[in-house]
PDB file of all heavy atoms in Angstrom:
ATOM      1  N   GLY H 438      -2.779 -10.600  13.065  1.00 89.00           N
ATOM      2  CA  GLY H 438      -1.600 -11.059  12.496  1.00 89.00           C
ATOM      3  C   GLY H 438      -1.258 -10.465  11.052  1.00 89.00           C
ATOM      4  O   GLY H 438      -0.332 -10.746  10.412  1.00 89.00           O
ATOM      5  N   GLY H 439      -2.265  -9.597  10.540  1.00 91.00           N
ATOM      6  CA  GLY H 439      -2.078  -8.940   9.248  1.00 91.00           C
ATOM      7  C   GLY H 439      -1.003  -7.858   9.362  1.00 91.00           C
ATOM      8  O   GLY H 439      -0.570  -7.484  10.493  1.00 91.00           O
ATOM      9  N   LEU H 440      -0.600  -7.284   8.245  1.00 92.00           N
ATOM     10  CA  LEU H 440       0.484  -6.380   8.159  1.00 92.00           C
ATOM     11  C   LEU H 440       0.036  -4.969   7.762  1.00 92.00           C
ATOM     12  O   LEU H 440      -0.999  -4.802   7.059  1.00 92.00           O
ATOM     13  CB  LEU H 440       1.554  -6.914   7.205  1.00 92.00           C
ATOM     14  CG  LEU H 440       2.095  -8.260   7.463  1.00 92.00           C
ATOM     15  CD1 LEU H 440       3.027  -8.773   6.372  1.00 92.00           C
ATOM     16  CD2 LEU H 440       2.849  -8.227   8.819  1.00 92.00           C
ATOM     17  N   LEU H 441       0.893  -3.997   8.094  1.00 90.00           N
ATOM     18  CA  LEU H 441       0.688  -2.665   7.698  1.00 90.00           C
ATOM     19  C   LEU H 441       1.955  -2.214   6.977  1.00 90.00           C
ATOM     20  O   LEU H 441       3.075  -2.318   7.507  1.00 90.00           O
ATOM     21  CB  LEU H 441       0.506  -1.821   8.914  1.00 90.00           C
ATOM     22  CG  LEU H 441       0.575  -0.266   8.727  1.00 90.00           C
ATOM     23  CD1 LEU H 441      -0.580   0.286   7.815  1.00 90.00           C
ATOM     24  CD2 LEU H 441       0.588   0.441  10.066  1.00 90.00           C
ATOM     25  N   ALA H 442       1.830  -1.733   5.732  1.00 90.00           N
ATOM     26  CA  ALA H 442       2.894  -1.140   5.016  1.00 90.00           C
ATOM     27  C   ALA H 442       2.709   0.356   5.088  1.00 90.00           C
ATOM     28  O   ALA H 442       1.630   0.885   4.559  1.00 90.00           O
ATOM     29  CB  ALA H 442       2.945  -1.572   3.567  1.00 90.00           C
ATOM     30  N   VAL H 443       3.574   1.129   5.783  1.00 88.00           N
ATOM     31  CA  VAL H 443       3.278   2.492   5.984  1.00 88.00           C
ATOM     32  C   VAL H 443       4.605   3.356   5.808  1.00 88.00           C
ATOM     33  O   VAL H 443       5.692   2.848   6.059  1.00 88.00           O
ATOM     34  CB  VAL H 443       2.733   2.655   7.427  1.00 88.00           C
ATOM     35  CG1 VAL H 443       3.824   2.207   8.464  1.00 88.00           C
ATOM     36  CG2 VAL H 443       2.337   4.097   7.706  1.00 88.00           C
ATOM     37  N   ASN H 444       4.392   4.535   5.280  1.00 82.00           N
ATOM     38  CA  ASN H 444       5.481   5.518   5.271  1.00 82.00           C
ATOM     39  C   ASN H 444       5.134   6.638   6.259  1.00 82.00           C
ATOM     40  O   ASN H 444       4.027   6.679   6.845  1.00 82.00           O
ATOM     41  CB  ASN H 444       5.990   6.000   3.896  1.00 82.00           C
ATOM     42  CG  ASN H 444       4.844   6.820   3.208  1.00 82.00           C
ATOM     43  OD1 ASN H 444       3.891   7.270   3.826  1.00 82.00           O
ATOM     44  ND2 ASN H 444       5.032   6.970   1.915  1.00 82.00           N
ATOM     45  N   ASP H 445       6.000   7.551   6.433  1.00 75.00           N
ATOM     46  CA  ASP H 445       5.729   8.637   7.449  1.00 75.00           C
ATOM     47  C   ASP H 445       5.495  10.000   6.744  1.00 75.00           C
ATOM     48  O   ASP H 445       5.652  11.010   7.397  1.00 75.00           O
ATOM     49  CB  ASP H 445       6.845   8.720   8.427  1.00 75.00           C
ATOM     50  CG  ASP H 445       6.428   9.134   9.805  1.00 75.00           C
ATOM     51  OD1 ASP H 445       5.180   8.931  10.175  1.00 75.00           O
ATOM     52  OD2 ASP H 445       7.138   9.728  10.651  1.00 75.00           O
ATOM     53  N   ASP H 446       4.986   9.972   5.458  1.00 75.00           N
ATOM     54  CA  ASP H 446       4.805  11.322   4.787  1.00 75.00           C
ATOM     55  C   ASP H 446       3.759  12.152   5.580  1.00 75.00           C
ATOM     56  O   ASP H 446       3.900  13.342   5.539  1.00 75.00           O
ATOM     57  CB  ASP H 446       4.281  10.997   3.388  1.00 75.00           C
ATOM     58  CG  ASP H 446       5.448  10.686   2.471  1.00 75.00           C
ATOM     59  OD1 ASP H 446       6.619  10.608   2.920  1.00 75.00           O
ATOM     60  OD2 ASP H 446       5.130  10.484   1.260  1.00 75.00           O
ATOM     61  N   HIS H 447       2.849  11.614   6.164  1.00 73.00           N
ATOM     62  CA  HIS H 447       1.838  12.324   6.881  1.00 73.00           C
ATOM     63  C   HIS H 447       1.816  11.935   8.375  1.00 73.00           C
ATOM     64  O   HIS H 447       0.830  12.113   9.093  1.00 73.00           O
ATOM     65  CB  HIS H 447       0.357  12.085   6.300  1.00 73.00           C
ATOM     66  CG  HIS H 447       0.175  12.686   4.951  1.00 73.00           C
ATOM     67  ND1 HIS H 447      -0.118  13.959   4.781  1.00 73.00           N
ATOM     68  CD2 HIS H 447       0.332  12.091   3.752  1.00 73.00           C
ATOM     69  CE1 HIS H 447      -0.226  14.195   3.494  1.00 73.00           C
ATOM     70  NE2 HIS H 447       0.042  13.132   2.824  1.00 73.00           N
ATOM     71  N   GLY H 448       3.002  11.426   8.846  1.00 75.00           N
ATOM     72  CA  GLY H 448       3.093  11.076  10.186  1.00 75.00           C
ATOM     73  C   GLY H 448       2.520   9.730  10.638  1.00 75.00           C
ATOM     74  O   GLY H 448       2.449   9.347  11.850  1.00 75.00           O
ATOM     75  N   ASP H 449       2.063   8.921   9.665  1.00 77.00           N
ATOM     76  CA  ASP H 449       1.243   7.769   9.944  1.00 77.00           C
ATOM     77  C   ASP H 449       2.117   6.627  10.572  1.00 77.00           C
ATOM     78  O   ASP H 449       1.678   5.915  11.429  1.00 77.00           O
ATOM     79  CB  ASP H 449       0.594   7.241   8.722  1.00 77.00           C
ATOM     80  CG  ASP H 449      -0.593   6.327   8.980  1.00 77.00           C
ATOM     81  OD1 ASP H 449      -0.931   6.159  10.203  1.00 77.00           O
ATOM     82  OD2 ASP H 449      -1.189   5.748   8.110  1.00 77.00           O
ATOM     83  N   ALA H 450       3.375   6.582  10.105  1.00 78.00           N
ATOM     84  CA  ALA H 450       4.192   5.579  10.686  1.00 78.00           C
ATOM     85  C   ALA H 450       4.434   5.789  12.242  1.00 78.00           C
ATOM     86  O   ALA H 450       4.344   4.891  12.991  1.00 78.00           O
ATOM     87  CB  ALA H 450       5.529   5.490  10.024  1.00 78.00           C
ATOM     88  N   CYS H 451       4.698   7.041  12.572  1.00 78.00           N
ATOM     89  CA  CYS H 451       4.874   7.328  14.037  1.00 78.00           C
ATOM     90  C   CYS H 451       3.544   7.054  14.785  1.00 78.00           C
ATOM     91  O   CYS H 451       3.573   6.530  15.898  1.00 78.00           O
ATOM     92  CB  CYS H 451       5.225   8.838  14.188  1.00 78.00           C
ATOM     93  SG  CYS H 451       6.989   9.133  13.687  1.00 78.00           S
TER      94      CYS H 451
END
Side-chain angles (χ1 to χ4, degrees):
L440 301 173
L441 168 67
V443 61
N444 67 13
D445 213 25
D446 281 0
H447 293 276
D449 201 7
C451 287

